[in-house]
Every structure is written in C-alpha cells, then in structure tokens.
Amino acid sequence: MKLSNKLHLKITLKSLIVAVIVLAFMLSIASSLYSSYQGNIKLLKEQSLETNRVYAEKLAQMVSIYLDDALKVLEFSAAEVEDHLDDEELIMNVVNRVQEQEETFNSVVIANSEGLMIAGAPEEFGLKGNFIKSTEGLQLIKNQKPSITMPYKTSTDRVVITLSYPLFSKDGSYEGLINGTVYLNESNFFETILGDHYYQNGSYVYVVDSDGIVIYHQNEELIGDDISDNEVVKKIMEGKSGAQQVTNSFGVDMLAGYSFVDLSKWGVVAQTPKAVAIDSVGKIVMNSFIIQLPLIILSIIIAIFAANRIVRPLEKLAAITVVSVEESEMRKLKETNAWYYEALQIKTALIHSFAFLHSQVNLFMDKSTTDPLTGAMNRRTLDEILQQWTSKEIKFSVIMLDLDRFKRINDTYGHAMGDEVLKFFVKMMKEGTREVDICCRYGGEEFVLLLPETSIEEAFEIAESLRKTLEKTESPCGRPVTLSAGVASFPDTASRTSDLLDLADQALYDAKNSGRNRVSIASSKS
C-alpha cells in the first residue's frame, strides 16, 4: 500500500527537466533585461551629463564673447572722446549712439576722474551733472582699467552690472571713464544670449554670480535667490566646470552641466530632469525584448522537444523497472546505470541552454557600447580605446567633427529630421573611412574619428575628402550639410589623450571661427 502511494505521488523526470529549463530561461531573460535596463540608464545618464556639460560650456563662451564685445564697444567709444572731454556735442553723440544702437546697455555715462558725470544717456535719466556715489562706481574710477562689476543693487532697487573702460589723454594722464550699465531684471541682455535655450521637458538654463546668487533664470521669481549651498554652484564658486547629478531647490534630481565664465566670474548651468533623460530606457529594453521574443520562444520549444527525446528512454526504463519488480527481476535493473545517463543528458541540455542565454546577455551588453541613435561607438567606448592605444603606444590620429549650424536643422525641420541627419552623417563617415577606423559620438552633433597608424597629414586628407563629399551630397533634410573638423595626432600633437582631444577640439573651433566648412590642424602642445 505504501509503495502504491509513492508511485501515485511521483514527479516525473520530464516535468522536472522542463521546469528547470523554463526556470533557467526565465531567470536568464530577467537577468539580461535587468542588465540591459541598468546599462541603458547609465549610458543615457552619461550622455545627458556630457550633453549638458558641452551645452553649458558653449553658453558660457557666448556670455564671455558678449561681454567682451561690449567692452570693445566701450573701448572704441573711449578712443573717440579721449582728449575731447570738453567737446560737449561729441561726448553726447557718443553716449547716445552707444545707448541707442547697442542692445546691451540700459544707460551709458562718461565721467571725469573726480566721478562727475559730464554726459549721460538716456537724457531723461538726468545723469549729467551728478557724481558717481555707489561703492561699485567709485571702485571703477579707482581701477583705471577695463572692468566688469559683480551684480549690485542701486539706490532705485535695480539689480545691475556695470562695464567700464578708462579714458587717458595722449600724454597718459587719467581723464575718467565711460560706463555702460545693464539692468539685469529689465534688459534683454541674458534673453539675447540664453532666452532660446529653454525646453518644455523641464530642462532649463540659469546663471549665478561668484557668491551663488541667481542673476538669470527662466522663472523670474528665483532671480536674486541665494543657492550657494547647491553642490553645482559650490563648484562654480571654486572656478570649476564639469557635470554631475544634483538635486535642485524643488527636490528634483537633475543632470547638470556647468561652466565657469572667467571674464565675469559667473557660472552657467544647463540641466535636465533625470527622469526625463532616462524616460526612454523602458521602451528601449521592451523593444529589445520584443525583437528577441520569437527566438526565445523557439529556443524554449526546441529545448522542451530535446528534453522529451532525452527522457523517453528513461520513461521506458521506468516502466521496465515496475515490471521487473513485479517479476522479481531486480538484479538486471541494478546492473543498469540509468542514473548516470539521466544526469549526463540533463547536464548536456543545460549547457546548451545556458550557452544560448549567455549569448543573449552578451548581445544586450554589446548594445551598451554603441550610441543607440546613430550606431557609432559611444563616449565610454572612445575613452577605453584611447586608453588601450596610448598604453600600447600605438600611433594614431583623431579627427573631431561637428555639423555646421546643426541647430538650424532642428529648429527648421524638427528634432526627428535632426536625428536622421545625424544618422546620415555617421553613414557618410563610415563610407569615407577605412574598415580599421573607428567612428564615435562625442556628444550632440560632435563626432570623433580614430585612425590607427595614420599620420596627421593623412588624417587631414581623409577629413578633407569627407568634407568635400558631404557638401556635395544631399542630406535627409533635402539639401547638403557641411562640417568643420579639427585634426590632431598621438604622440606628435600631444602625449595625453585629454590634451589630444582638447587640442583637436580647439582646432575644430578654429575651423568654425574661420568660416566653417573647413578642416584645421591642431598645434602641438608645448
């Protein structure tokens, strides 16, 4: 009776094998999806941080250029009035012209060395005849050199900055200065530079001074707030630039890029909500799973079929065992090594199953080394390759490329078309280079070509050929696009990869500043 109950309660070997195979598949798939999910989160986070870092750096350069241009306007005007401060008509014409023709300054004054304002615009402000009394203004008179004040509050409660340029007579004596004042809360100074850089997905740009005070923000209510305890702002106050995750004043996790403006000691921050940056990860992983699902199902079916074929002889053996027991033929059954055969077959099936599943894991992990949009290598892979090549002292050249006026394509045709243009650009790069050359996405519309065993002259010719081909080829937006490029080589240009990329980047900007659609060779690092 006890033997009969045990037989009725038995779990068949086929059921166990099928259960083990299915469980192994499910766990491996779950592990693969989780690894892919985490890898894509890390990748998108790194890409967003790098994009915002480059973006903040470019905006900081724009602010610096804007301030430098404003100082040059004052310098030009100073040259007009030096030795002519007694010519009232001339100096009034100068201050009126600077104030009316330039969009930067809300008011302009010329003051003598005693701080007496001898000309001022707009005239309705009644500046002429008054003395400069503010601490900042008196410091400008004392400086006797081109200066930019930190933001300060005037007697009329306006938050302003003042740019000044000294006046010297031909004999070198100090005559006074010409000042241009910007009302930060009222002028279009920051709007001109930063106003078009706000996005509806929660990304935004703001500017702080050296004390951590907000001097520009899309939300005007935040202007004037002290956010010096913000981790990013602390770095800016130390004169640093970079990128990191930070929590903003509203408790939202942001991926921030920040850049220090050396000329004015300000900091520009561009940041994106972390949730927005990684929002597409779930879709990416799910799409990968859906693509792999038919193969996974087919593999499970094949595995179950194989398990059934493996177990079938054992099922027959089990039947013989029952009969043998009933006929008292246990000796023959004991001589059959059935247990070893069963174990060997299960082991073989599992080895094949796990080999397949590990290949799927490797497939998911491989995807984390490439840019999901363009198919080029990503920034992390670029860094790894550079480290390997430099450690092995492999000679190579780099070409840093940037699509000219790419923002216009996004603004005119939309970001979807911009993405198509980027994919087209990568396709052209791959077709225009050798099989051993490596194309990497550096950030935004910037790309890097790695050319092993290639001199800087050969790299220049490759870049030129690509540039000429691109300007003659119709892009997805219906017209050709152009590129600018900077070329550098290791170890001739620089012996460290960070210096090499910086010099190639500088050469790229030299190409852009020289009119775009050209290739520039980097100067060697001294």
Side-chain angles (χ1 to χ4, degrees):
M1 183 65 181
K2 291 182 179 180
L3 178 60
S4 177
N5 287 337
K6 289 181 179 180
L7 291 174
H8 285 298
L9 294 174
K10 69 179 180 179
I11 299 174
T12 64
L13 184 59
K14 181 193 296 185
S15 300
L16 288 174
I17 292 177
V18 170
V20 169
I21 291 174
V22 171
L23 179 61
F25 266 92
M26 293 301 102
L27 290 176
S28 298
I29 292 168
S31 176
S32 300
L33 293 176
Y34 179 77
S35 299
S36 176
Y37 183 79
Q38 293 299 323
N40 278 284
I41 284 179
K42 183 179 180 182
L43 175 62
L44 292 179
K45 180 180 175 181
E46 290 175 353
Q47 287 180 339
S48 183
L49 284 171
E50 180 61 16
T51 298
N52 283 338
R53 183 195 69 79
V54 173
Y55 195 40
E57 183 177 313
K58 289 185 177 180
L59 293 179
Q61 290 174 353
M62 292 172 63
V63 171
S64 184
I65 291 171
Y66 200 85
L67 292 173
D68 186 59
D69 288 345
L71 282 175
K72 287 180 179 177
V73 170
L74 295 180
E75 178 185 9
F76 176 80
S77 301
E80 289 186 276
V81 301
E82 287 174 344
D83 283 319
H84 299 289
L85 295 187
D86 56 348
D87 189 337
E88 182 174 349
E89 181 179 357
L90 172 63
I91 62 177
M92 282 303 299
N93 285 339
V94 169
V95 295
N96 283 326
R97 184 196 68 222
V98 174
Q99 196 274 325
E100 292 174 1
Q101 293 183 1
E102 297 295 327
E103 296 182 353
T104 303
F105 304 116
N106 296 92
S107 64
V108 180
V109 300
I110 294 177
N112 63 22
S113 59
E114 302 299 324
L116 175 64
M117 291 182 274
I118 57 178
E123 294 185 32
E124 58 265 25
F125 282 13
L127 301 172
K128 180 180 178 182
N130 295 316
F131 279 90
I132 296 175
K133 297 180 180 180
S134 67
T135 302
E136 291 78 11
L138 294 174
Q139 185 61 45
L140 292 175
I141 296 173
K142 182 180 179 180
N143 285 345
Q144 297 187 20
K145 61 183 180 180
S147 302
I148 301 174
T149 69
M150 296 305 294
Y152 65 94
K153 186 174 288 189
T154 67
S155 58
T156 59
D157 284 335
R158 289 189 172 100
V159 179
V160 305
I161 60 169
T162 300
L163 292 78
S164 73
Y165 204 89
L167 304 175
F168 291 95
S169 62
K170 291 181 180 178
D171 61 8
S173 60
Y174 181 57
E175 292 186 311
L177 75 171
I178 179 170
N179 282 351
T181 300
V182 178
Y183 302 164
L184 293 181
N185 295 351
E186 302 173 30
S187 72
N188 60 358
F189 173 73
F190 283 117
E191 285 299 326
T192 300
I193 306 172
L194 309 174
D196 294 333
H197 305 282
Y198 178 76
Y199 301 99
Q200 298 302 318
N201 65 354
S203 301
Y204 57 90
V205 174
Y206 66 90
V207 182
V208 296
D209 65 15
S210 62
D211 295 322
I213 305 299
V214 178
I215 59 177
Y216 172 80
H217 200 288
Q218 286 290 334
N219 185 352
E220 295 183 1
E221 295 180 359
L222 299 179
I223 296 176
D225 284 1
D226 183 349
I227 58 171
S228 56
D229 59 342
N230 182 288
E231 293 301 319
V232 164
V233 175
K234 288 180 182 178
K235 297 287 181 64
I236 290 173
M237 293 167 66
E238 296 172 1
K240 297 178 180 179
S241 301
Q244 70 177 68
Q245 181 175 327
V246 68
T247 303
N248 70 6
S249 303
F250 301 100
V252 179
D253 288 335
M254 308 294 287
L255 302 178
Y258 55 94
S259 186
F260 181 71
V261 183
D262 187 64
L263 182 62
S264 60
K265 312 304 179 187
W266 299 344
V268 178
V269 181
Q271 56 187 21
T272 303
K274 179 182 176 182
V276 171
I278 65 175
D279 180 60
S280 61
V281 172
K283 295 179 181 178
I284 293 173
V285 174
M286 184 54 66
N287 287 339
S288 298
F289 175 71
I290 291 173
I291 292 173
Q292 298 297 324
L293 187 57
L295 180 59
I296 293 171
I297 294 174
L298 178 61
S299 300
I300 292 176
I301 293 172
I302 293 173
I304 292 174
F305 175 77
N308 188 59
R309 292 293 300 272
I310 292 169
V311 171
R312 188 174 297 167
L314 297 178
E315 289 178 330
K316 292 181 179 179
L317 182 61
I320 294 173
T321 302
V322 174
V323 173
S324 297
V325 170
E326 291 177 352
E327 296 180 356
S328 301
E329 296 182 358
M330 291 296 296
R331 185 177 60 82
K332 293 182 180 180
L333 291 175
K334 289 179 180 179
E335 292 175 352
T336 304
N337 192 6
W339 179 88
Y340 180 78
Y341 175 78
E342 172 188 346
L344 180 60
Q345 298 308 308
I346 293 173
K347 178 181 177 181
T348 302
L350 289 176
I351 289 174
H352 285 301
S353 297
F354 280 108
F356 168 76
L357 291 174
H358 289 159
S359 71
Q360 302 308 301
V361 174
N362 292 334
L363 177 63
F364 283 120
M365 294 304 296
D366 286 344
K367 291 184 178 179
S368 69
T369 65
T370 58
D371 173 43
L373 173 64
T374 63
M377 295 294 102
N378 59 26
R379 179 68 181 273
R380 182 176 64 183
T381 307
L382 167 67
D383 293 338
E384 291 175 354
I385 294 172
L386 288 176
Q387 196 278 328
Q388 292 174 6
W389 287 6
T390 53
S391 64
K392 294 179 180 179
E393 298 184 352
I394 297 174
K395 294 182 179 181
F396 63 95
S397 291
V398 300
I399 305 174
M400 187 166 288
L401 311 96
D402 190 303
L403 283 175
D404 296 328
R405 297 186 173 91
F406 180 72
K407 183 177 182 296
R408 289 186 181 178
I409 296 175
N410 281 334
D411 292 344
T412 303
Y413 303 101
H415 288 276
M417 179 58 71
D419 289 346
E420 292 302 316
V421 172
L422 289 179
K423 290 189 280 188
F424 160 79
F425 185 36
V426 170
K427 178 175 177 292
M428 295 293 292
M429 281 190 285
K430 291 181 177 179
E431 291 178 353
T433 53
R434 303 164 301 183
E435 188 172 343
V436 295
D437 299 332
I438 301 172
C439 176
C440 304
R441 188 173 184 181
Y442 193 66
E445 67 272 21
E446 283 190 312
F447 293 83
V448 171
L449 283 172
L450 301 179
L451 314 175
E453 301 295 345
T454 305
S455 68
I456 197 168
E457 292 80 13
E458 292 170 332
F460 177 83
E461 293 299 325
I462 291 172
E464 267 292 296
S465 175
L466 178 60
R467 182 190 67 79
K468 292 177 181 178
T469 302
L470 191 66
E471 71 177 353
K472 297 177 183 178
T473 306
E474 183 177 300
S475 72
C477 67
R479 60 178 179 80
V481 293
T482 62
L483 64 84
S484 296
V487 183
S489 67
F490 173 89
D492 297 330
T493 305
S495 59
R496 296 194 309 175
T497 57
S498 58
D499 294 334
L500 186 69
L501 293 177
D502 287 342
L503 291 171
D505 190 52
Q506 182 58 54
L508 167 62
Y509 278 98
D510 290 342
K512 283 190 172 293
N513 292 334
S514 300
R516 296 184 176 86
N517 192 21
R518 61 189 61 214
V519 179
S520 178
I521 295 179
S523 301
S524 299
K525 183 176 179 62
S526 57

